[in-house]
């Protein structure tokens, strides 16, 4: 792709073209950096191609880095074009390709050396190459585009090396990069991919005393990827149990882990030295979170909490305290598993397929239905409070559980329950049944079955149908709610290792619909 037009004589105008990449949403797009050095005009750098303020700052860094690395910055007019122009360019990762472009345009680097290479890196004023965001999705994209090599900051190299089939060249300074490209220094070998990130020590279910029904609900939710709501008085252990859900989920598959790691790489949230993230993500935004923080957005679209929770769990603790319009923003992603953020030039589509766990008190004071304390709320207050979790959102919650406070005596005396590791084995076995059953490569977890898969896999016998029919009449359930109940029953059958949904599976599913 790169070419040099004209001769290499100092006074001739020369054009250098290099490959780099930009992130839009959570995806990488190829960008070419074109550097033209000409005698016309005053000595200066002009940047075109929709660079934002952060990229325009690159001018100063590039000039200083070139001079401080022992090279000469041309005393001529330098024009840098980043194309395509319809993606807004942000961040500092264009520094290194721009600097190399300037040196290539002045004839210092042979252009064939930068032909088949994607280059990215931030420069500090002394010429050191600093880490950037998005190295993983960028190298994955480069490999898909058939590029042979990616040159990037050493700090990001292990992350990029997770992608196989492309040479990863780690660099630490501009001077070193030029030495490698001009053959004065051997190309460093591709680094080892970082080992999978160690899973943080998860909170264990065995800490929870009593609460058999709530524990069962967590297991079912995990088994089929269902959304879950805990309702109960303060101190009842709702948050405690919700935080233990990720610990009973099986590790991510390689494909899921790549998606999750790429998202965290773009968001700049990959822990230093972390490789592939193999544990399902867990996000618990505070109830003061804005809609942009939750679903993503901004002038340059950035992923929100629901995208960071992709393939994992989103906990909305004290759900009723979230602003109504913030919660309403969850409807579409809960249904579709993605969020679209429209911008003038392009629409960013972020993945957002997560399990929702919500907790709330039964009323504003929190003690409605509590045998030990009187509730002081008026019926209107209670209605208003519950209305904050609007109907359409409630409809998408498969399991609702009331969580009464456990008496102090039980807390002290009850034996500790099963550990997370134990429950996780049953969850994994239930999920394996779902994967084995689904023939398509699409959604496999019961919670996400489409209409056709529902008709095929969630067949009820006459007794099961009667249970569902009675529940739907008595509680005026929508068709969506009935389908969701059948999916929960399917998961309960999978946990039991049963081929068909039996009446007791359906009955238990109905129980969890009505509990909360
Ligand atoms: N069933 C339980 N088993 C063990 N500890 C519990 C239980 N229920 C509550 N606790 C204790 O009470 C604390 C408060 O619980 P929390 O989850 O914050 O309640 P909630 O979110 O319902 O207000 C927990 O951190 C835990 O120490
Ligand atoms: Mg709580």
């Amino acid at each position: 792709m790169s070419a040099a037009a004209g001769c290499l004589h100092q006074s001739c105008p020369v054009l250098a073209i290099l490959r780099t990449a930009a992130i839009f949403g959570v995806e990488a797009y190829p960008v070419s950096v074109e550097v033209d050095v000409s005698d016309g005009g005053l000595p200066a750098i002009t940047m075109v191609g929709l660079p934002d303020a952060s990229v325009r700052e690159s001018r100063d860094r590039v000039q200083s880095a070139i001079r401080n690395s022992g090279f000469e910055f041309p005393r001529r007019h330098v024009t840098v074009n980043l194309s395509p122009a319809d993606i807004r360019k942000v961040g500092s990762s264009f520094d290194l390709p721009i600097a190399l472009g300037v040196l290539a345009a002045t004839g210092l680097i042979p252009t064939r050396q930068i032909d088949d290479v994607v280059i990215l890196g931030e420069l500090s004023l002394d010429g050191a190459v600093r880490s950037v965001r998005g190295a993983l999705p960028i190298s994955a994209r480069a490999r898909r585009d058939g590029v042979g090599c990616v040159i990037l900051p050493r700090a990001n190299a292990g992350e990029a090396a997770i992608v196989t089939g492309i040479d990863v060249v780690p660099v630490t300074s501009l001077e070193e990069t030029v030495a490698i490209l001009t053959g004065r220094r051997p190309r460093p070998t591709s680094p080892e991919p970082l080992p999978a990130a160690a899973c943080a020590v998860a909170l264990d279910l065995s800490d929870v005393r009593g609460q058999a029904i709530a524990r069962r609900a967590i297991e079912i939710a995990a088994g089929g990827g269902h959304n879950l709501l805990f309702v109960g008085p303060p101190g009842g252990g709702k948050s405690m149990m919700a935080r233990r859900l990720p610990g009973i989920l099986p590790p991510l598959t390689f494909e899921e882990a790549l998606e999750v790691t790429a998202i965290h790489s773009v968001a700049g949230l990959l822990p230093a030295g972390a490789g592939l993230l193999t544990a399902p993500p867990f996000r618990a935004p505070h109830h003061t979170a804005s809609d942009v923080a939750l679903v993503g957005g901004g002038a340059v679209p950035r992923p929100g909490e629901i995208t960071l929770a992709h393939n994992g769990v989103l906990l909305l603790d004290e759900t009723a305290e979230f602003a109504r319009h913030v919660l309403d923003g969850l409807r579409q992603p809960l249904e579709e598993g993605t969020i679209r953020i429209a911008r003038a030039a392009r629409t960013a589509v972020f993945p957002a397929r997560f399990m929702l766990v919500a907790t709330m008190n039964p009323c504003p004071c929190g003690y409605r239905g509590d045998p030990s304390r009187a509730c002081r709320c008026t019926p209107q207050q209670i209605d208003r409070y519950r209305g904050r979790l609007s109907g359409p959102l409630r409809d998408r919650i498969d399991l609702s559980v009331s969580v009464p406070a456990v008496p102090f005596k039980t807390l002290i005396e009850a034996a500790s329950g099963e550990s997370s590791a134990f429950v996780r084995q049953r969850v994994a076995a239930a999920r394996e049944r779902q994967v084995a059953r689904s023939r398509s490569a699409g959604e496999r977890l019961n919670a996400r079955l489409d209409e056709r898969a529902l008709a095929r896999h969630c067949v009820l016998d006459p007794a099961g149908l009667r249970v569902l029919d009675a529940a739907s009449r008595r509680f005026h359930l929508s068709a969506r709610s009935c389908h969701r109940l059948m999916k929960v029953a399917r998961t309960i059958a999978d946990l039991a290792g049963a081929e068909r949904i039996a009446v007791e599976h359906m009955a238990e599913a109905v129980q969890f619909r009505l509990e909360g």
Side-chain angles (χ1 to χ4, degrees), residues 451-484:
E451 307 264 314
R452 282 178 61 192
L454 179 90
R456 199 175 325 128
H457 303 314
C458 303
V459 182
L460 297 180
D461 62 7
L465 264 180
R466 272 197 299 278
V467 171
L468 179 57
D469 186 46
S472 80
R473 282 161 195 272
R474 181 144 174 236
F475 300 101
H476 309 288
L477 299 181
S478 66
R480 193 207 320 267
S481 298
C482 288
H483 283 167
R484 287 190 170 253

mmCIF file of all heavy atoms in Angstrom, residues 451-484:
data_model
loop_
_atom_site.group_PDB
_atom_site.id
_atom_site.type_symbol
_atom_site.label_atom_id
_atom_site.label_comp_id
_atom_site.label_asym_id
_atom_site.label_seq_id
_atom_site.Cartn_x
_atom_site.Cartn_y
_atom_site.Cartn_z
ATOM 1 N N GLU A 451 -37.851 -17.817 18.416
ATOM 2 C CA GLU A 451 -39.164 -18.468 18.368
ATOM 3 C C GLU A 451 -39.067 -19.903 17.834
ATOM 4 O O GLU A 451 -39.700 -20.813 18.363
ATOM 5 C CB GLU A 451 -40.096 -17.684 17.448
ATOM 6 C CG GLU A 451 -40.192 -16.219 17.794
ATOM 7 C CD GLU A 451 -41.393 -15.911 18.662
ATOM 8 O OE1 GLU A 451 -42.475 -16.406 18.330
ATOM 9 O OE2 GLU A 451 -41.225 -15.212 19.673
ATOM 10 N N ARG A 452 -38.269 -20.062 16.781
ATOM 11 C CA ARG A 452 -38.203 -21.396 16.174
ATOM 12 C C ARG A 452 -37.549 -22.395 17.112
ATOM 13 O O ARG A 452 -38.024 -23.518 17.273
ATOM 14 C CB ARG A 452 -37.425 -21.328 14.862
ATOM 15 C CG ARG A 452 -38.274 -20.759 13.734
ATOM 16 C CD ARG A 452 -37.486 -20.653 12.462
ATOM 17 N NE ARG A 452 -36.996 -21.946 11.990
ATOM 18 C CZ ARG A 452 -36.094 -22.071 11.019
ATOM 19 N NH1 ARG A 452 -35.589 -21.002 10.448
ATOM 20 N NH2 ARG A 452 -35.705 -23.260 10.627
ATOM 21 N N ALA A 453 -36.455 -21.958 17.745
ATOM 22 C CA ALA A 453 -35.757 -22.861 18.658
ATOM 23 C C ALA A 453 -36.641 -23.149 19.878
ATOM 24 O O ALA A 453 -36.646 -24.263 20.406
ATOM 25 C CB ALA A 453 -34.439 -22.253 19.096
ATOM 26 N N LEU A 454 -37.419 -22.140 20.283
ATOM 27 C CA LEU A 454 -38.339 -22.326 21.414
ATOM 28 C C LEU A 454 -39.345 -23.420 21.074
ATOM 29 O O LEU A 454 -39.599 -24.334 21.867
ATOM 30 C CB LEU A 454 -39.059 -21.001 21.699
ATOM 31 C CG LEU A 454 -40.075 -21.028 22.830
ATOM 32 C CD1 LEU A 454 -39.395 -20.689 24.146
ATOM 33 C CD2 LEU A 454 -41.205 -20.053 22.576
ATOM 34 N N ALA A 455 -39.912 -23.339 19.871
ATOM 35 C CA ALA A 455 -40.912 -24.321 19.455
ATOM 36 C C ALA A 455 -40.293 -25.717 19.388
ATOM 37 O O ALA A 455 -40.949 -26.715 19.674
ATOM 38 C CB ALA A 455 -41.482 -23.932 18.099
ATOM 39 N N ARG A 456 -39.020 -25.784 19.043
ATOM 40 C CA ARG A 456 -38.391 -27.089 18.897
ATOM 41 C C ARG A 456 -37.959 -27.675 20.247
ATOM 42 O O ARG A 456 -38.127 -28.855 20.504
ATOM 43 C CB ARG A 456 -37.175 -26.972 17.961
ATOM 44 C CG ARG A 456 -36.767 -28.299 17.411
ATOM 45 C CD ARG A 456 -35.629 -28.249 16.381
ATOM 46 N NE ARG A 456 -35.615 -27.088 15.520
ATOM 47 C CZ ARG A 456 -34.532 -26.312 15.351
ATOM 48 N NH1 ARG A 456 -33.417 -26.558 16.009
ATOM 49 N NH2 ARG A 456 -34.563 -25.288 14.529
ATOM 50 N N HIS A 457 -37.400 -26.829 21.108
ATOM 51 C CA HIS A 457 -36.765 -27.364 22.324
ATOM 52 C C HIS A 457 -37.595 -27.244 23.594
ATOM 53 O O HIS A 457 -37.299 -27.888 24.585
ATOM 54 C CB HIS A 457 -35.426 -26.663 22.567
ATOM 55 C CG HIS A 457 -34.472 -26.784 21.432
ATOM 56 N ND1 HIS A 457 -34.230 -27.978 20.792
ATOM 57 C CD2 HIS A 457 -33.714 -25.854 20.799
ATOM 58 C CE1 HIS A 457 -33.348 -27.775 19.822
ATOM 59 N NE2 HIS A 457 -33.039 -26.494 19.806
ATOM 60 N N CYS A 458 -38.590 -26.376 23.599
ATOM 61 C CA CYS A 458 -39.323 -26.145 24.845
ATOM 62 C C CYS A 458 -40.752 -26.699 24.756
ATOM 63 O O CYS A 458 -41.730 -25.996 25.024
ATOM 64 C CB CYS A 458 -39.349 -24.660 25.186
ATOM 65 S SG CYS A 458 -37.705 -23.953 25.308
ATOM 66 N N VAL A 459 -40.861 -27.940 24.349
ATOM 67 C CA VAL A 459 -42.175 -28.566 24.195
ATOM 68 C C VAL A 459 -42.723 -28.941 25.573
ATOM 69 O O VAL A 459 -42.000 -29.502 26.397
ATOM 70 C CB VAL A 459 -42.050 -29.835 23.323
ATOM 71 C CG1 VAL A 459 -43.410 -30.474 23.113
ATOM 72 C CG2 VAL A 459 -41.393 -29.480 21.998
ATOM 73 N N LEU A 460 -43.991 -28.589 25.826
ATOM 74 C CA LEU A 460 -44.607 -28.917 27.115
ATOM 75 C C LEU A 460 -45.557 -30.092 26.947
ATOM 76 O O LEU A 460 -46.224 -30.217 25.910
ATOM 77 C CB LEU A 460 -45.395 -27.716 27.634
ATOM 78 C CG LEU A 460 -44.596 -26.448 27.933
ATOM 79 C CD1 LEU A 460 -45.519 -25.353 28.444
ATOM 80 C CD2 LEU A 460 -43.504 -26.730 28.951
ATOM 81 N N ASP A 461 -45.633 -30.938 27.975
ATOM 82 C CA ASP A 461 -46.648 -31.998 27.934
ATOM 83 C C ASP A 461 -47.979 -31.389 28.399
ATOM 84 O O ASP A 461 -48.012 -30.243 28.858
ATOM 85 C CB ASP A 461 -46.197 -33.203 28.770
ATOM 86 C CG ASP A 461 -46.033 -32.847 30.237
ATOM 87 O OD1 ASP A 461 -46.403 -31.713 30.611
ATOM 88 O OD2 ASP A 461 -45.505 -33.678 30.995
ATOM 89 N N PRO A 462 -49.094 -32.138 28.267
ATOM 90 C CA PRO A 462 -50.401 -31.550 28.618
ATOM 91 C C PRO A 462 -50.445 -31.002 30.045
ATOM 92 O O PRO A 462 -51.000 -29.919 30.282
ATOM 93 C CB PRO A 462 -51.370 -32.722 28.448
ATOM 94 C CG PRO A 462 -50.701 -33.608 27.440
ATOM 95 C CD PRO A 462 -49.236 -33.477 27.668
ATOM 96 N N ALA A 463 -49.830 -31.694 30.983
ATOM 97 C CA ALA A 463 -49.859 -31.225 32.371
ATOM 98 C C ALA A 463 -49.090 -29.904 32.505
ATOM 99 O O ALA A 463 -49.530 -28.958 33.172
ATOM 100 C CB ALA A 463 -49.256 -32.288 33.290
ATOM 101 N N GLY A 464 -47.952 -29.823 31.853
ATOM 102 C CA GLY A 464 -47.146 -28.599 31.880
ATOM 103 C C GLY A 464 -47.914 -27.446 31.255
ATOM 104 O O GLY A 464 -47.895 -26.313 31.757
ATOM 105 N N LEU A 465 -48.585 -27.729 30.133
ATOM 106 C CA LEU A 465 -49.381 -26.701 29.463
ATOM 107 C C LEU A 465 -50.471 -26.154 30.378
ATOM 108 O O LEU A 465 -50.736 -24.956 30.406
ATOM 109 C CB LEU A 465 -50.039 -27.285 28.211
ATOM 110 C CG LEU A 465 -49.298 -27.045 26.895
ATOM 111 C CD1 LEU A 465 -50.069 -27.679 25.750
ATOM 112 C CD2 LEU A 465 -49.119 -25.553 26.653
ATOM 113 N N ARG A 466 -51.111 -27.074 31.133
ATOM 114 C CA ARG A 466 -52.179 -26.642 32.047
ATOM 115 C C ARG A 466 -51.634 -25.687 33.106
ATOM 116 O O ARG A 466 -52.259 -24.676 33.416
ATOM 117 C CB ARG A 466 -52.840 -27.864 32.714
ATOM 118 C CG ARG A 466 -53.996 -28.445 31.891
ATOM 119 C CD ARG A 466 -54.884 -29.348 32.749
ATOM 120 N NE ARG A 466 -54.156 -30.491 33.288
ATOM 121 C CZ ARG A 466 -53.923 -31.616 32.586
ATOM 122 N NH1 ARG A 466 -54.343 -31.739 31.337
ATOM 123 N NH2 ARG A 466 -53.260 -32.617 33.137
ATOM 124 N N VAL A 467 -50.461 -25.991 33.625
ATOM 125 C CA VAL A 467 -49.847 -25.123 34.639
ATOM 126 C C VAL A 467 -49.585 -23.738 34.053
ATOM 127 O O VAL A 467 -49.914 -22.707 34.644
ATOM 128 C CB VAL A 467 -48.529 -25.740 35.169
ATOM 129 C CG1 VAL A 467 -47.778 -24.745 36.045
ATOM 130 C CG2 VAL A 467 -48.817 -27.013 35.943
ATOM 131 N N LEU A 468 -49.017 -23.719 32.863
ATOM 132 C CA LEU A 468 -48.688 -22.439 32.231
ATOM 133 C C LEU A 468 -49.961 -21.652 31.912
ATOM 134 O O LEU A 468 -50.032 -20.434 32.153
ATOM 135 C CB LEU A 468 -47.876 -22.685 30.951
ATOM 136 C CG LEU A 468 -47.475 -21.432 30.165
ATOM 137 C CD1 LEU A 468 -46.680 -20.465 31.030
ATOM 138 C CD2 LEU A 468 -46.645 -21.813 28.931
ATOM 139 N N ASP A 469 -50.967 -22.370 31.423
ATOM 140 C CA ASP A 469 -52.217 -21.714 31.055
ATOM 141 C C ASP A 469 -52.877 -21.082 32.288
ATOM 142 O O ASP A 469 -53.306 -19.922 32.259
ATOM 143 C CB ASP A 469 -53.148 -22.751 30.409
ATOM 144 C CG ASP A 469 -54.401 -22.095 29.868
ATOM 145 O OD1 ASP A 469 -54.264 -21.044 29.205
ATOM 146 O OD2 ASP A 469 -55.508 -22.606 30.133
ATOM 147 N N ALA A 470 -52.899 -21.844 33.377
ATOM 148 C CA ALA A 470 -53.522 -21.326 34.605
ATOM 149 C C ALA A 470 -52.779 -20.081 35.088
ATOM 150 O O ALA A 470 -53.390 -19.073 35.460
ATOM 151 C CB ALA A 470 -53.515 -22.409 35.683
ATOM 152 N N ALA A 471 -51.461 -20.137 35.058
ATOM 153 C CA ALA A 471 -50.669 -18.992 35.524
ATOM 154 C C ALA A 471 -50.903 -17.779 34.632
ATOM 155 O O ALA A 471 -51.047 -16.656 35.112
ATOM 156 C CB ALA A 471 -49.182 -19.354 35.542
ATOM 157 N N SER A 472 -50.976 -18.008 33.330
ATOM 158 C CA SER A 472 -51.105 -16.863 32.419
ATOM 159 C C SER A 472 -52.461 -16.184 32.584
ATOM 160 O O SER A 472 -52.566 -14.967 32.478
ATOM 161 C CB SER A 472 -50.875 -17.298 30.970
ATOM 162 O OG SER A 472 -52.041 -17.904 30.465
ATOM 163 N N ARG A 473 -53.522 -16.997 32.872
ATOM 164 C CA ARG A 473 -54.843 -16.379 33.085
ATOM 165 C C ARG A 473 -54.875 -15.626 34.404
ATOM 166 O O ARG A 473 -55.327 -14.498 34.489
ATOM 167 C CB ARG A 473 -55.922 -17.449 33.174
ATOM 168 C CG ARG A 473 -56.327 -18.014 31.847
ATOM 169 C CD ARG A 473 -57.003 -19.347 32.124
ATOM 170 N NE ARG A 473 -57.111 -20.126 30.923
ATOM 171 C CZ ARG A 473 -58.142 -20.019 30.099
ATOM 172 N NH1 ARG A 473 -59.117 -19.192 30.355
ATOM 173 N NH2 ARG A 473 -58.181 -20.755 29.002
ATOM 174 N N ARG A 474 -54.382 -16.310 35.424
ATOM 175 C CA ARG A 474 -54.511 -15.742 36.756
ATOM 176 C C ARG A 474 -53.702 -14.452 36.885
ATOM 177 O O ARG A 474 -54.121 -13.495 37.523
ATOM 178 C CB ARG A 474 -54.018 -16.782 37.762
ATOM 179 C CG ARG A 474 -54.134 -16.311 39.162
ATOM 180 C CD ARG A 474 -54.497 -17.418 40.144
ATOM 181 N NE ARG A 474 -54.421 -16.842 41.476
ATOM 182 C CZ ARG A 474 -53.669 -17.327 42.431
ATOM 183 N NH1 ARG A 474 -52.993 -18.437 42.231
ATOM 184 N NH2 ARG A 474 -53.636 -16.721 43.587
ATOM 185 N N PHE A 475 -52.525 -14.403 36.258
ATOM 186 C CA PHE A 475 -51.656 -13.238 36.447
ATOM 187 C C PHE A 475 -51.535 -12.376 35.192
ATOM 188 O O PHE A 475 -50.666 -11.518 35.117
ATOM 189 C CB PHE A 475 -50.278 -13.695 36.931
ATOM 190 C CG PHE A 475 -50.365 -14.432 38.244
ATOM 191 C CD1 PHE A 475 -50.316 -15.811 38.276
ATOM 192 C CD2 PHE A 475 -50.560 -13.744 39.431
ATOM 193 C CE1 PHE A 475 -50.424 -16.493 39.479
ATOM 194 C CE2 PHE A 475 -50.661 -14.421 40.634
ATOM 195 C CZ PHE A 475 -50.608 -15.799 40.658
ATOM 196 N N HIS A 476 -52.425 -12.619 34.232
ATOM 197 C CA HIS A 476 -52.462 -11.808 32.997
ATOM 198 C C HIS A 476 -51.082 -11.681 32.376
ATOM 199 O O HIS A 476 -50.579 -10.583 32.152
ATOM 200 C CB HIS A 476 -53.017 -10.401 33.295
ATOM 201 C CG HIS A 476 -54.308 -10.436 34.036
ATOM 202 N ND1 HIS A 476 -55.487 -10.826 33.443
ATOM 203 C CD2 HIS A 476 -54.606 -10.177 35.330
ATOM 204 C CE1 HIS A 476 -56.460 -10.786 34.334
ATOM 205 N NE2 HIS A 476 -55.961 -10.406 35.498
ATOM 206 N N LEU A 477 -50.446 -12.822 32.155
ATOM 207 C CA LEU A 477 -49.091 -12.785 31.599
ATOM 208 C C LEU A 477 -49.134 -12.516 30.095
ATOM 209 O O LEU A 477 -50.009 -13.028 29.400
ATOM 210 C CB LEU A 477 -48.374 -14.118 31.856
ATOM 211 C CG LEU A 477 -48.202 -14.504 33.323
ATOM 212 C CD1 LEU A 477 -47.461 -15.823 33.439
ATOM 213 C CD2 LEU A 477 -47.467 -13.411 34.085
ATOM 214 N N SER A 478 -48.202 -11.720 29.622
ATOM 215 C CA SER A 478 -48.092 -11.448 28.179
ATOM 216 C C SER A 478 -47.497 -12.685 27.492
ATOM 217 O O SER A 478 -46.943 -13.576 28.140
ATOM 218 C CB SER A 478 -47.182 -10.250 27.944
ATOM 219 O OG SER A 478 -45.867 -10.575 28.343
ATOM 220 N N ALA A 479 -47.632 -12.689 26.162
ATOM 221 C CA ALA A 479 -47.066 -13.816 25.393
ATOM 222 C C ALA A 479 -45.561 -13.894 25.645
ATOM 223 O O ALA A 479 -44.997 -14.971 25.798
ATOM 224 C CB ALA A 479 -47.342 -13.625 23.908
ATOM 225 N N ARG A 480 -44.923 -12.710 25.735
ATOM 226 C CA ARG A 480 -43.488 -12.696 25.985
ATOM 227 C C ARG A 480 -43.167 -13.363 27.327
ATOM 228 O O ARG A 480 -42.245 -14.169 27.442
ATOM 229 C CB ARG A 480 -42.953 -11.261 25.973
ATOM 230 C CG ARG A 480 -41.443 -11.220 25.925
ATOM 231 C CD ARG A 480 -40.813 -9.974 26.540
ATOM 232 N NE ARG A 480 -41.511 -8.752 26.266
ATOM 233 C CZ ARG A 480 -41.240 -7.941 25.252
ATOM 234 N NH1 ARG A 480 -40.290 -8.236 24.415
ATOM 235 N NH2 ARG A 480 -41.932 -6.840 25.096
ATOM 236 N N SER A 481 -43.987 -13.030 28.337
ATOM 237 C CA SER A 481 -43.749 -13.623 29.659
ATOM 238 C C SER A 481 -43.917 -15.138 29.604
ATOM 239 O O SER A 481 -43.151 -15.871 30.236
ATOM 240 C CB SER A 481 -44.722 -13.049 30.679
ATOM 241 O OG SER A 481 -44.524 -11.672 30.802
ATOM 242 N N CYS A 482 -44.930 -15.612 28.873
ATOM 243 C CA CYS A 482 -45.146 -17.062 28.780
ATOM 244 C C CYS A 482 -43.949 -17.737 28.109
ATOM 245 O O CYS A 482 -43.484 -18.786 28.554
ATOM 246 C CB CYS A 482 -46.427 -17.372 28.011
ATOM 247 S SG CYS A 482 -47.893 -16.963 28.963
ATOM 248 N N HIS A 483 -43.451 -17.123 27.049
ATOM 249 C CA HIS A 483 -42.280 -17.705 26.388
ATOM 250 C C HIS A 483 -41.083 -17.732 27.319
ATOM 251 O O HIS A 483 -40.332 -18.700 27.365
ATOM 252 C CB HIS A 483 -41.931 -16.902 25.131
ATOM 253 C CG HIS A 483 -42.855 -17.212 23.989
ATOM 254 N ND1 HIS A 483 -42.915 -16.450 22.863
ATOM 255 C CD2 HIS A 483 -43.759 -18.202 23.829
ATOM 256 C CE1 HIS A 483 -43.818 -16.966 22.036
ATOM 257 N NE2 HIS A 483 -44.351 -18.022 22.608
ATOM 258 N N ARG A 484 -40.950 -16.668 28.084
ATOM 259 C CA ARG A 484 -39.815 -16.620 29.011
ATOM 260 C C ARG A 484 -39.931 -17.713 30.069
ATOM 261 O O ARG A 484 -38.941 -18.324 30.458
ATOM 262 C CB ARG A 484 -39.699 -15.235 29.644
ATOM 263 C CG ARG A 484 -39.166 -14.241 28.627
ATOM 264 C CD ARG A 484 -38.797 -12.913 29.236
ATOM 265 N NE ARG A 484 -38.091 -12.138 28.222
ATOM 266 C CZ ARG A 484 -36.781 -11.904 28.227
ATOM 267 N NH1 ARG A 484 -36.033 -12.321 29.218
ATOM 268 N NH2 ARG A 484 -36.217 -11.233 27.244
#
